[in-house]
Amino acid sequence: MTHQPDQVITRTRYRIQGIVQGVGFRPFVYSLAHQYSLTGFIGNDSAGIFVEVQGKPTDLDNFSQDLIRNKPPLAIIDSISESSQPACEESGFTIVESKNAPGLSTPVSPDISICEECFKELFTPEDRRYQYPFINCTNCGPRFTIIKDIPYDRPNTTMNQFEMCAECQQEYDDPLNRRYHAQPNACSVCGPSVWFVTGDQLNQPECFLNSDFSLLNNLDSISAAQQMINSGSTVAVKGIGGFHLACDATSDEAVQKLRVRKGRIEKPFAVMVADLESAKIIAQVNNQEAQLLLSRERPIVLLRKRKAEITELLSQLIAPGNDCIGIFLPYSPLHYLLLQNKPLVMTSGNLSDEPIVHDNVEAKKRLVRLADGFLLHDREIHIVCDDSVTRILDNQEYPVRRSRGYAPMPVRLSKTASSILATGGELKSTFCLTKDHYAYLSQHIGDMENLETIHAFENSVDHFNTLFRSAPEIIACDEHPGYLSSQWAKKHADENKLLLVPVQHHHAHIASLMAEHDLGGEEPVLGVCFDGTGYGRDGAIWGGEFLLADYQSFERKAFLKYISLPGGDAAIKRPYRTAMAHLWSAGLDWNENLPCVAACQKSEQKILRQQLEKKIQTVPTSSMGRLFDAVASILGIRQIVSYEAQAAIEMESMCYNIETELIKKPFDNNRYQFKVIPGDPFILDPSPVIKSIVEDFLNGTDRIVIAYWFHQSVARMITEVCLELRKTTKVKTVALSGGVFQNVLLTKLARANLQGQGFKVLIHRLVPPNDGGLSLGQAIIASKVITN
């Protein structure tokens, strides 16, 4: 393509930002330029993509339109800037070498599940990558977990140790090939391999480092792992973002063995099934849920169980006491080769409360007591990334855990933010790094309760700073002085002479929801923040809060009446203690006919009574999460929990089992009514609700009906409080956030009630309502505090 001097020729330079590296953008532009007979060049740098094209004005106009309209499926364009350049003599359109733009950064693509083309090749005997466990192309495969630095080129990934064979190199160099610059590109000749370790080899460290010690090839290793799983054993499987522990999901014995070893007594396991039809056999799957299961992110999707079929097809130990089950489909070629047609438990490769294992040597140390065999590979995982968990609420995605497939996708900000590192909370921890118009929310780190998780947190922070060319000027953290994340933030700020901005827990929840909905923050919202634990500014534990909030500040307008929580964490783990504290607060006797009282031994009752009377080792709390625990305990649903929110989850789950006509059975709307104690803020006393629940239970009302009515009463109370606050504040937007709003039943009821009263209701769609979204809110609040 050489333009003649007598033609009218113009030249345009484009700067494209967003997720445009590692998604086939350069070959797409190369083909587009050839289509319109344009000359010029395209390249990557650490700020995104730069393009210069030259040709006839009409062709440039068409090129510019197609650049956005027909972009590659994985590309996300956040901004395109254009500038005119002087025309020059040149021929052809080329892809130039990547450059480093000092100080500039670009978003990085998450890991993407295997695409349809690669899937077909994986199972085509004539294809040279037939049954190769690491098949990938520009449209799929690992991204975030293998990248060490930007620009996203092979030398900056963990694939740099694998020199491509001639055939792979030819694909990699051909702009018209779908494997053009696919950085993980490889085949069985030149790429990573898998091997299986078991028996005596488990005591030989070298067997975890090199496939040369295995006598099995890729497929034989996978077959050996399958046989071990089928025999009832547990296999540690190295995946894309870390290790899974896999066992036969149909075997009670295999599942129970894994529970004991992992220390995960009752918390539900996720199940991987071969395809959508298999998912539909064991769970109810609507169209939106099917789309999520098949999406390129391939999250674990929470689905309602099919009662009759599941007893035959899955162990009842997978999700005991829960109406939902977490199901996901294979997302890597290795998964497809391993799975066959039998559903597998695929749970995080770790002991409970520890970070997920992602390194072979680390696996030898930490997983050898949990697994009977190891399916290993030699593609290094640079950064750990656990599976994401999500569900559908009102026909749209409602995130529970944001990690693989989503991280490190940024939340785009309407205004440029300072460079801020926000360290999140303690449970379900994430961190957030802001730079320019982006808030980069990290993958799920875990519960910040031990040194191992702190180390994983630090490694991920360092990685984000490298990827996004960030040197934070400010550190934001939770106001709770006891959180390890807050202690780390203070220490790091002191050592590096950075400004530390502590942020109130519930304010951060509401701000995260405002930010994901791209609110500017100039107008306040009515923030309804319900959770289990959040440090209050009066030293109490908050969790049943109504806030008038913008980014700069908040006012506490109403809250759930404080009760004394006897023993703090002991009451959280034993809901019957919380229930008895609520009975005490409501002036009710500890009737032995109530399950919560029956669960508490006489000697413990004596101690509890003294604690409550004299306020010894008690913590005042307004937590809605604890109120849900108390009601679940009063109804005999759960007296001791083995994981967070177990009692509330099982109570919600029971409500789905009730017949529709029973749910809609009329009842006195004033019966389950919170008492309003006037003031500023005003106080919401649950005592009348507790009294009515106890009376109904003792009179023989079905506890499922009571549980449903309780959900209705909380939703109704939310609406009534917001209506009252609207009178004085004139605010018509309500934001529902906090871990209690993981309860889909409550969220649906509250949202419908509020919308029926003319409110605009915000719920989470990009980040979780639980503490996994906290860091986003912290970062935004810190940025606004500094600019004012």
Side-chain angles (χ1 to χ4, degrees):
M1 294 179 290
T2 302
H3 299 294
Q4 301 302 317
D6 59 340
Q7 292 179 303
V8 177
I9 297 300
T10 58
R11 188 177 185 88
T12 302
R13 180 176 178 85
Y14 298 86
R15 162 60 68 182
I16 306 171
Q17 291 184 300
I19 296 184
V20 291
Q21 294 188 12
V23 293
F25 210 92
R26 287 178 295 175
F28 159 68
V29 172
Y30 178 91
S31 298
L32 201 60
H34 277 266
Q35 178 182 336
Y36 290 112
S37 301
L38 303 177
T39 63
F41 58 83
I42 182 173
N44 279 345
D45 62 19
S46 50
I49 278 182
F50 56 90
V51 185
E52 286 195 18
V53 286
Q54 180 171 293
K56 297 177 183 178
T58 54
D59 290 331
L60 284 178
D61 287 343
N62 290 330
F63 172 87
S64 185
Q65 292 175 24
D66 284 352
L67 199 60
I68 299 173
R69 187 168 50 204
N70 299 324
K71 64 181 176 60
L74 300 185
I76 297 176
I77 298 175
D78 288 327
S79 66
I80 296 182
S81 60
E82 299 182 28
S83 60
S84 297
Q85 302 291 316
C88 62
E89 286 289 329
E90 70 180 349
S91 61
F93 186 90
T94 59
I95 298 175
V96 299
E97 288 188 9
S98 298
K99 300 177 181 178
N100 187 24
L104 299 178
S105 62
T106 186
V108 171
S109 171
D111 302 308
I112 300 299
S113 65
I114 183 172
C115 68
E116 187 174 339
E117 291 87 351
C118 285
F119 179 80
K120 288 178 181 177
E121 291 173 351
L122 180 67
F123 292 105
T124 300
E126 296 76 25
D127 194 277
R128 73 185 191 92
R129 290 187 176 87
Y130 174 59
Q131 296 191 332
Y132 179 56
F134 304 96
I135 188 171
N136 68 88
C137 71
T138 306
N139 298 320
C140 67
R143 301 286 193 278
F144 172 57
T145 51
I146 65 169
I147 185 172
K148 295 180 177 180
D149 203 351
I150 54 173
Y152 178 63
D153 288 315
R154 196 173 180 107
N156 290 332
T157 72
T158 60
M159 286 297 295
N160 62 348
Q161 64 177 303
F162 298 100
E163 183 177 351
M164 284 180 280
C165 65
E167 287 184 89
C168 286
Q169 188 70 51
Q170 184 178 16
E171 296 168 331
Y172 185 87
D173 292 335
D174 181 1
L176 300 180
N177 191 291
R178 83 171 199 279
R179 291 192 169 91
Y180 174 75
H181 277 226
Q183 307 310 337
N185 188 37
C187 69
S188 59
V189 174
C190 63
S193 58
V194 299
W195 66 97
F196 189 65
V197 173
T198 191
D200 292 340
Q201 293 176 321
L202 297 177
N203 298 316
Q204 302 172 34
E206 62 273 12
C207 292
F208 284 77
L209 297 175
N210 197 315
S211 61
D212 292 343
F213 288 91
S214 175
L215 300 178
L216 305 174
N217 61 26
N218 283 335
L219 293 179
D220 288 341
S221 293
I222 294 170
S223 178
Q226 290 170 335
Q227 291 174 26
M228 180 163 278
I229 290 170
N230 290 338
S231 71
S233 298
T234 300
V235 172
V237 181
K238 187 177 182 182
I240 285 181
F243 277 82
H244 284 110
L245 294 171
C247 77
D248 181 355
T250 67
S251 167
D252 284 348
E253 183 181 352
V255 174
Q256 181 60 23
K257 184 194 302 181
L258 179 55
R259 286 201 174 280
V260 172
R261 288 178 174 181
K262 190 175 164 68
R264 186 169 174 147
I265 306 304
E266 292 172 305
K267 189 174 183 180
F269 283 135
V271 175
M272 182 177 282
V273 297
D275 50 34
L276 182 60
E277 292 309 310
S278 300
K280 288 181 176 180
I281 292 172
I282 58 178
Q284 301 174 41
V285 184
N286 64 29
N287 290 338
Q288 291 80 17
E289 289 162 342
Q291 289 174 14
L292 260 185
L293 285 168
L294 293 168
S295 69
R296 64 195 185 201
E297 293 85 4
R298 292 289 168 95
I300 297 168
V301 182
L302 299 182
L303 303 168
R304 296 275 306 281
K305 295 175 181 174
R306 285 191 185 277
K307 293 295 184 297
E309 293 85 346
I310 200 169
T311 57
E312 301 293 329
L313 298 172
L314 289 182
S315 166
Q316 293 299 291
L317 300 178
I318 286 174
N322 200 317
D323 189 62
C324 290
I325 185 170
I327 291 179
F328 60 143
L329 303 186
Y331 53 85
S332 78
L334 179 59
H335 291 151
Y336 274 107
L337 295 172
L338 175 67
L339 203 62
Q340 297 177 313
N341 291 316
K342 177 176 285 190
L344 300 181
V345 167
M346 294 284 271
T347 189
S348 303
N350 57 359
L351 271 171
S352 289
D353 301 326
E354 289 186 1
I356 185 173
V357 174
H358 68 287
D359 174 80
N360 289 6
V361 174
E362 187 185 13
K364 168 71 173 70
K365 294 176 182 177
R366 290 174 51 198
L367 298 183
V368 75
R369 292 188 299 276
L370 307 184
D372 303 295
F374 288 75
L375 189 60
L376 303 167
H377 64 71
D378 51 359
R379 184 175 65 198
E380 179 190 346
I381 299 170
H382 185 66
I383 201 74
V384 65
C385 196
D386 209 342
D387 294 316
S388 294
V389 182
T390 190
R391 66 190 310 171
I392 292 293
L393 189 156
D394 291 341
N395 300 318
Q396 288 184 275
E397 186 172 1
Y398 195 58
V400 176
R401 184 170 75 196
R402 185 183 185 273
S403 202
R404 177 193 49 76
Y406 299 82
M409 285 264 290
V411 174
R412 185 162 172 79
L413 307 176
S414 56
K415 296 180 181 178
T416 301
S418 304
S419 184
I420 297 170
L421 171 64
T423 60
E426 183 173 60
L427 301 180
K428 299 178 175 64
S429 180
T430 64
F431 63 85
C432 182
L433 188 69
T434 61
K435 185 176 181 182
D436 302 328
H437 284 280
Y438 295 116
Y440 296 100
L441 201 67
S442 78
Q443 74 278 26
H444 170 77
I445 303 294
D447 294 347
M448 296 278 277
E449 297 178 322
N450 53 57
L451 287 176
E452 291 85 359
T453 310
I454 285 286
H455 292 324
F457 171 87
E458 289 175 330
N459 289 339
S460 292
V461 167
D462 289 343
H463 186 51
F464 270 58
N465 284 333
T466 298
L467 281 186
F468 305 120
R469 302 293 190 262
S470 178
E473 307 158 11
I474 302 159
I475 297 186
C477 67
D478 195 276
E479 285 185 350
H480 198 308
Y483 282 0
L484 287 182
S485 59
S486 300
Q487 294 170 7
W488 183 93
K490 185 178 187 307
K491 181 174 182 290
H492 194 75
D494 290 345
E495 290 174 350
N496 294 278
K497 296 181 171 53
L498 303 175
L499 179 63
L500 181 68
V501 180
V503 177
Q504 202 283 322
H505 188 91
H506 302 95
H507 188 199
H509 270 303
I510 300 304
S512 74
L513 181 52
M514 293 171 66
E516 74 161 81
H517 284 271
D518 200 24
L519 299 189
E522 292 81 9
E523 299 294 329
V525 301
L526 294 177
V528 184
C529 192
F530 291 172
D531 61 5
T533 300
Y535 190 70
R537 287 186 171 169
D538 57 0
I541 298 301
W542 292 5
E545 312 305 312
F546 290 81
L547 309 178
L548 179 65
D550 56 22
Y551 292 132
Q552 282 81 16
S553 62
F554 72 92
E555 293 179 53
R556 194 184 194 197
K557 305 301 290 184
F559 62 92
L560 202 62
K561 181 186 174 183
Y562 288 153
I563 65 154
S564 295
L565 198 64
D569 285 348
I572 295 172
K573 294 176 181 177
R574 300 177 185 179
Y576 66 82
R577 295 172 68 101
T578 305
M580 293 175 74
H582 267 286
L583 293 174
W584 176 272
S585 180
L588 296 174
D589 293 334
W590 288 352
N591 188 325
E592 293 291 339
N593 292 319
L594 293 174
C596 57
V597 179
C600 186
Q601 295 183 1
K602 293 291 185 182
S603 57
E604 188 177 5
Q605 287 185 29
K606 183 178 179 181
I607 295 170
L608 280 177
R609 192 177 297 276
Q610 290 178 340
Q611 285 183 288
L612 293 168
E613 286 176 346
K614 300 179 180 180
K615 297 190 178 225
I616 301 170
Q617 293 183 334
T618 62
V619 180
T621 182
S622 62
S623 169
M624 181 60 76
R626 299 290 79 81
L627 178 59
F628 269 77
D629 286 350
V631 173
S633 174
I634 290 169
L635 298 180
I637 295 168
R638 174 62 60 174
Q639 306 302 340
I640 298 175
V641 301
S642 63
Y643 62 90
E644 186 195 13
Q646 182 179 5
I649 289 169
E650 292 183 1
M651 182 166 66
E652 177 194 3
S653 187
M654 284 178 60
C655 292
Y656 294 123
N657 296 329
I658 194 170
E659 295 295 329
T660 303
E661 59 269 18
L662 191 56
I663 288 177
K664 294 182 177 178
K665 181 180 178 182
F667 73 106
D668 183 354
N669 282 333
N670 293 316
R671 184 164 176 73
Y672 285 15
Q673 191 78 20
F674 289 78
K675 178 183 177 182
V676 177
I677 302 174
D680 188 14
F682 57 85
I683 299 171
L684 305 160
D685 185 358
S687 295
V689 176
I690 295 293
K691 289 178 182 177
S692 296
I693 286 173
V694 168
E695 183 178 339
D696 283 345
F697 180 81
L698 294 176
N699 286 336
T701 303
D702 190 322
R703 65 178 185 170
I704 303 178
V705 174
I706 297 173
Y708 190 87
W709 287 351
F710 171 67
H711 280 79
Q712 284 184 318
S713 71
V714 175
R716 186 176 59 251
M717 177 268 287
I718 291 170
T719 305
E720 291 170 352
V721 172
C722 289
L723 283 169
E724 191 65 29
L725 292 176
R726 187 167 69 183
K727 293 177 184 177
T728 55
T729 65
K730 309 303 180 188
V731 175
K732 298 180 181 179
T733 299
V734 176
L736 305 179
S737 190
V740 169
F741 287 107
Q742 286 183 165
N743 183 317
V744 166
L745 175 59
L746 174 66
T747 306
K748 280 184 173 182
L749 290 170
R751 189 185 192 206
N753 287 353
L754 288 162
Q755 288 174 334
Q757 294 296 329
F759 285 101
K760 178 182 179 181
V761 184
L762 306 180
I763 63 173
H764 286 275
R765 295 302 186 189
L766 299 180
V767 302
N770 58 47
D771 285 4
L774 203 64
S775 60
L776 173 61
Q778 292 172 346
I780 302 304
I781 290 170
S783 71
K784 302 299 180 181
V785 168
I786 298 309
T787 55
N788 288 284

